[in-house]
Amino acid sequence: MKNTIKISSILLALAIAVAVTACSDKQETAPGTPDQMDEQNNPSTQPGNAEQVPSVKEGTGTYTGQADPHTVEIVVDGKPIAFQLGNGLDQAVADLQEQDHVQFKYEEKAIEGEDTLKQLVLTEIKKSDSVQGAGQGGESDTSGKDSSSSASAGGQSDSGDSKSSASSGSVSKRPAEGKLEVTLEGNDEVRPAKLVQAEGYSLYIPEQFSFDAGKHLLYMHVDHEYSVRIEKLPADFNLDQLESQGKKELKPYGEIKKLGAADLTGPMKDALIFLTAFDSSGTHEYIVKKLDGSGFVFHVTQPQREASEGFEPLAFAALNSIEKE
């Protein structure tokens, strides 16, 4: 009888122990409160995951048109940059003309899956009378203080594509419209052109090109890296010094070749100096020529891409139309 009672007591103790253990497990796995569940399921409430509001930046540049209904291109410090249009900017953009100087505000938004790329979204854009050259590398915050403009290789600040943009303020007496004779693929053609003016000179450019008077930069619409920077020389320029300078400029691009009179044809056949170098990035040329009694250096950049066909004949025809102002 005593053994029976003892066994029963042991079994009872084991049953109590099992029940206590089961209750403890249920308490550990019980779901949290609704507030706790919200915090767990909402990443924005977790430490370090607070939503970041993009800062608004400011810039200035030259408006060159719309790439598509949602994207515009603005040249900032000589570089074309694509901006997405923010809400409500359709009319503001519709009021702009190509080559207008503009002031704008934009946000940099992260692109999912990209650590370094940012989407630039315009929040405001308007026409401006002058360009300070502020861009992604020199933008100002919304306090309204623009940074100093970056000088181009020619030492000029940014300006736009119009006769009135010349710092001298003079207006050319040449007709606003003209024609350029050009040879393309062996065929002689006459192309319509418009007059543009910079300080001290003017020239006619074909419809495929734009001209930044402040930077003295002629470039193609389709690819802005196809370009010629025009440098007006002082009256007492020295050809030996210029040739030395040209070779130094072209040295990073590989072997330099000097073309003589026998090698030159077309608009540049009477160039005083014609240096060229070629590497994987394309063709680079340093040309000195006298036009309408003034000396000029043409710094030519011609990448090896689809736009290369036709660039040089059209650019050289435009350069050959330079006259003093």
Side-chain angles (χ1 to χ4, degrees):
M1 183 68 179
K2 289 181 179 181
N3 290 336
T4 300
I5 294 172
K6 186 174 181 181
I7 292 172
S8 297
S9 299
I10 293 172
L11 291 174
L12 180 61
L14 289 171
I16 293 171
V18 170
V20 170
T21 301
C23 289
S24 175
D25 289 342
K26 287 182 179 180
Q27 290 177 351
E28 291 178 359
T29 59
T33 65
D35 290 341
Q36 292 172 331
M37 293 294 289
D38 287 342
E39 290 179 2
Q40 293 172 358
N41 295 329
N42 187 356
S44 65
T45 62
Q46 299 297 317
N49 287 334
E51 184 178 354
Q52 295 185 358
V53 178
S55 61
V56 177
K57 299 183 177 182
E58 296 183 4
T60 55
T62 303
Y63 173 77
T64 57
Q66 287 189 254
D68 58 52
H70 312 290
T71 310
V72 299
E73 184 178 83
I74 302 173
V75 177
V76 180
D77 290 336
K79 297 180 180 179
I81 300 175
F83 292 86
Q84 298 296 304
L85 288 179
N87 294 331
L89 292 184
D90 291 344
Q91 187 56 50
V93 170
D95 293 338
L96 296 174
Q97 300 292 326
E98 289 189 12
Q99 306 305 323
D100 276 349
H101 303 320
V102 291
Q103 293 177 330
F104 56 91
K105 295 181 181 180
Y106 66 99
E107 297 175 343
E108 290 184 346
K109 294 187 177 181
I111 299 176
E112 186 175 354
E114 298 287 349
D115 295 332
T116 58
L117 295 179
K118 300 286 186 182
Q119 185 182 50
L120 307 182
V121 181
L122 287 177
T123 60
E124 182 180 319
I125 185 170
K126 62 182 179 180
K127 187 175 179 179
S128 172
D129 292 332
S130 62
V131 176
Q132 297 299 319
Q136 288 173 281
E139 68 272 3
S140 62
D141 58 23
T142 53
S143 63
K145 296 180 179 179
D146 290 337
S147 62
S148 298
S149 62
S150 298
S152 68
Q156 300 291 332
S157 60
D158 193 13
S159 184
D161 181 356
S162 68
K163 293 185 290 181
S164 61
S165 64
S167 61
S168 63
S170 62
V171 177
S172 176
K173 295 180 180 179
R174 303 172 75 182
E177 304 292 332
K179 295 185 181 297
L180 294 174
E181 295 182 359
V182 58
T183 302
L184 293 171
E185 299 181 351
N187 298 316
D188 293 334
E189 300 181 18
V190 177
R191 294 293 185 95
K194 67 177 181 178
L195 185 70
V196 293
Q197 184 178 347
E199 183 176 5
Y201 65 93
S202 63
L203 71 157
Y204 287 100
I205 65 172
E207 57 187 4
Q208 296 90 343
F209 285 74
S210 289
F211 182 64
D212 187 324
K215 294 181 180 299
H216 300 269
L217 190 69
L218 177 69
Y219 58 90
M220 292 192 82
H221 295 311
V222 67
D223 190 335
H224 292 202
E225 289 189 32
Y226 284 85
S227 62
V228 182
R229 181 170 62 84
I230 301 171
E231 178 185 353
K232 192 172 185 295
L233 295 171
D236 60 347
F237 65 87
N238 182 290
L239 285 177
D240 291 334
Q241 292 178 358
L242 290 171
E243 183 172 338
S244 177
Q245 180 180 331
K247 289 178 178 179
K248 183 178 180 181
E249 181 176 310
L250 297 183
K251 186 176 180 180
Y253 304 113
E255 182 181 356
I256 300 168
K257 183 178 180 181
K258 181 178 180 180
L259 303 184
D263 303 311
L264 300 174
T265 59
M268 294 297 152
K269 62 184 178 182
D270 51 354
L272 301 176
I273 297 173
F274 197 120
L275 304 176
T276 181
F278 175 83
D279 68 355
S280 59
S281 68
T283 301
H284 304 267
E285 295 167 339
Y286 181 94
I287 305 168
V288 178
K289 184 171 182 177
K290 204 166 186 178
L291 289 158
D292 199 23
S294 297
F296 293 87
V297 179
F298 303 133
H299 308 263
V300 183
T301 301
Q302 183 175 335
Q304 286 296 108
R305 294 198 283 269
E306 292 183 6
S308 61
E309 186 176 354
F311 163 72
E312 195 166 271
L314 289 169
F316 284 179
L319 297 171
N320 210 44
S321 73
I322 288 178
E323 291 185 7
K324 289 188 299 183
E325 294 290 355

PDB file of all heavy atoms in Angstrom, residues 264-276:
ATOM      1  N   LEU A 264      46.835  69.375 -96.337  1.00  0.00           N
ATOM      2  CA  LEU A 264      45.605  70.057 -95.949  1.00  0.00           C
ATOM      3  C   LEU A 264      44.755  70.422 -97.154  1.00  0.00           C
ATOM      4  O   LEU A 264      45.262  70.858 -98.184  1.00  0.00           O
ATOM      5  CB  LEU A 264      45.943  71.334 -95.157  1.00  0.00           C
ATOM      6  CG  LEU A 264      46.730  71.116 -93.858  1.00  0.00           C
ATOM      7  CD1 LEU A 264      47.123  72.457 -93.250  1.00  0.00           C
ATOM      8  CD2 LEU A 264      45.913  70.312 -92.867  1.00  0.00           C
ATOM      9  N   THR A 265      43.444  70.226 -96.985  1.00  0.00           N
ATOM     10  CA  THR A 265      42.491  70.603 -98.015  1.00  0.00           C
ATOM     11  C   THR A 265      41.283  71.266 -97.346  1.00  0.00           C
ATOM     12  O   THR A 265      41.162  71.286 -96.127  1.00  0.00           O
ATOM     13  CB  THR A 265      42.010  69.370 -98.800  1.00  0.00           C
ATOM     14  OG1 THR A 265      41.392  68.447 -97.897  1.00  0.00           O
ATOM     15  CG2 THR A 265      43.173  68.684 -99.512  1.00  0.00           C
ATOM     16  N   GLY A 266      40.394  71.813 -98.163  1.00  0.00           N
ATOM     17  CA  GLY A 266      39.160  72.363 -97.635  1.00  0.00           C
ATOM     18  C   GLY A 266      39.367  73.636 -96.840  1.00  0.00           C
ATOM     19  O   GLY A 266      40.342  74.372 -97.042  1.00  0.00           O
ATOM     20  N   PRO A 267      38.488  73.907 -95.889  1.00  0.00           N
ATOM     21  CA  PRO A 267      38.534  75.174 -95.151  1.00  0.00           C
ATOM     22  C   PRO A 267      39.827  75.412 -94.383  1.00  0.00           C
ATOM     23  O   PRO A 267      40.182  76.558 -94.117  1.00  0.00           O
ATOM     24  CB  PRO A 267      37.344  75.056 -94.190  1.00  0.00           C
ATOM     25  CG  PRO A 267      36.425  74.082 -94.829  1.00  0.00           C
ATOM     26  CD  PRO A 267      37.297  73.113 -95.538  1.00  0.00           C
ATOM     27  N   MET A 268      40.540  74.336 -94.002  1.00  0.00           N
ATOM     28  CA  MET A 268      41.750  74.499 -93.207  1.00  0.00           C
ATOM     29  C   MET A 268      43.030  74.366 -94.033  1.00  0.00           C
ATOM     30  O   MET A 268      44.118  74.196 -93.484  1.00  0.00           O
ATOM     31  CB  MET A 268      41.771  73.478 -92.061  1.00  0.00           C
ATOM     32  CG  MET A 268      40.667  73.697 -91.040  1.00  0.00           C
ATOM     33  SD  MET A 268      40.845  75.299 -90.208  1.00  0.00           S
ATOM     34  CE  MET A 268      39.144  75.654 -89.783  1.00  0.00           C
ATOM     35  N   LYS A 269      42.912  74.485 -95.359  1.00  0.00           N
ATOM     36  CA  LYS A 269      44.087  74.290 -96.211  1.00  0.00           C
ATOM     37  C   LYS A 269      45.156  75.351 -95.987  1.00  0.00           C
ATOM     38  O   LYS A 269      46.338  75.125 -96.272  1.00  0.00           O
ATOM     39  CB  LYS A 269      43.671  74.270 -97.679  1.00  0.00           C
ATOM     40  CG  LYS A 269      43.031  75.556 -98.169  1.00  0.00           C
ATOM     41  CD  LYS A 269      42.562  75.417 -99.605  1.00  0.00           C
ATOM     42  CE  LYS A 269      41.875  76.698-100.088  1.00  0.00           C
ATOM     43  NZ  LYS A 269      41.380  76.554-101.484  1.00  0.00           N
ATOM     44  N   ASP A 270      44.740  76.532 -95.481  1.00  0.00           N
ATOM     45  CA  ASP A 270      45.708  77.597 -95.243  1.00  0.00           C
ATOM     46  C   ASP A 270      46.000  77.787 -93.745  1.00  0.00           C
ATOM     47  O   ASP A 270      46.397  78.877 -93.315  1.00  0.00           O
ATOM     48  CB  ASP A 270      45.234  78.911 -95.854  1.00  0.00           C
ATOM     49  CG  ASP A 270      43.818  79.270 -95.454  1.00  0.00           C
ATOM     50  OD1 ASP A 270      43.167  78.436 -94.781  1.00  0.00           O
ATOM     51  OD2 ASP A 270      43.354  80.375 -95.802  1.00  0.00           O
ATOM     52  N   ALA A 271      45.808  76.738 -92.964  1.00  0.00           N
ATOM     53  CA  ALA A 271      46.115  76.811 -91.529  1.00  0.00           C
ATOM     54  C   ALA A 271      47.606  77.056 -91.321  1.00  0.00           C
ATOM     55  O   ALA A 271      48.454  76.512 -92.041  1.00  0.00           O
ATOM     56  CB  ALA A 271      45.698  75.526 -90.826  1.00  0.00           C
ATOM     57  N   LEU A 272      47.944  77.879 -90.346  1.00  0.00           N
ATOM     58  CA  LEU A 272      49.345  78.169 -90.050  1.00  0.00           C
ATOM     59  C   LEU A 272      49.995  77.011 -89.281  1.00  0.00           C
ATOM     60  O   LEU A 272      51.182  76.735 -89.451  1.00  0.00           O
ATOM     61  CB  LEU A 272      49.441  79.454 -89.228  1.00  0.00           C
ATOM     62  CG  LEU A 272      48.848  80.711 -89.889  1.00  0.00           C
ATOM     63  CD1 LEU A 272      48.907  81.898 -88.932  1.00  0.00           C
ATOM     64  CD2 LEU A 272      49.572  81.020 -91.184  1.00  0.00           C
ATOM     65  N   ILE A 273      49.216  76.371 -88.424  1.00  0.00           N
ATOM     66  CA  ILE A 273      49.672  75.192 -87.671  1.00  0.00           C
ATOM     67  C   ILE A 273      48.504  74.202 -87.638  1.00  0.00           C
ATOM     68  O   ILE A 273      47.364  74.592 -87.386  1.00  0.00           O
ATOM     69  CB  ILE A 273      50.081  75.549 -86.230  1.00  0.00           C
ATOM     70  CG1 ILE A 273      51.256  76.512 -86.203  1.00  0.00           C
ATOM     71  CG2 ILE A 273      50.421  74.282 -85.444  1.00  0.00           C
ATOM     72  CD1 ILE A 273      51.597  77.022 -84.799  1.00  0.00           C
ATOM     73  N   PHE A 274      48.807  72.928 -87.908  1.00  0.00           N
ATOM     74  CA  PHE A 274      47.776  71.893 -87.799  1.00  0.00           C
ATOM     75  C   PHE A 274      48.421  70.665 -87.163  1.00  0.00           C
ATOM     76  O   PHE A 274      49.148  69.938 -87.811  1.00  0.00           O
ATOM     77  CB  PHE A 274      47.203  71.551 -89.177  1.00  0.00           C
ATOM     78  CG  PHE A 274      45.885  70.811 -89.123  1.00  0.00           C
ATOM     79  CD1 PHE A 274      44.752  71.347 -89.701  1.00  0.00           C
ATOM     80  CD2 PHE A 274      45.790  69.564 -88.501  1.00  0.00           C
ATOM     81  CE1 PHE A 274      43.529  70.681 -89.663  1.00  0.00           C
ATOM     82  CE2 PHE A 274      44.582  68.882 -88.455  1.00  0.00           C
ATOM     83  CZ  PHE A 274      43.445  69.441 -89.034  1.00  0.00           C
ATOM     84  N   LEU A 275      48.132  70.464 -85.877  1.00  0.00           N
ATOM     85  CA  LEU A 275      48.641  69.315 -85.130  1.00  0.00           C
ATOM     86  C   LEU A 275      47.492  68.375 -84.810  1.00  0.00           C
ATOM     87  O   LEU A 275      46.387  68.821 -84.490  1.00  0.00           O
ATOM     88  CB  LEU A 275      49.307  69.759 -83.824  1.00  0.00           C
ATOM     89  CG  LEU A 275      50.439  70.782 -83.921  1.00  0.00           C
ATOM     90  CD1 LEU A 275      50.915  71.174 -82.528  1.00  0.00           C
ATOM     91  CD2 LEU A 275      51.600  70.235 -84.743  1.00  0.00           C
ATOM     92  N   THR A 276      47.749  67.085 -84.883  1.00  0.00           N
ATOM     93  CA  THR A 276      46.701  66.117 -84.578  1.00  0.00           C
ATOM     94  C   THR A 276      47.280  64.931 -83.811  1.00  0.00           C
ATOM     95  O   THR A 276      48.445  64.569 -83.989  1.00  0.00           O
ATOM     96  CB  THR A 276      46.020  65.626 -85.879  1.00  0.00           C
ATOM     97  OG1 THR A 276      44.984  64.702 -85.549  1.00  0.00           O
ATOM     98  CG2 THR A 276      47.015  64.958 -86.805  1.00  0.00           C
TER      99      THR A 276
END
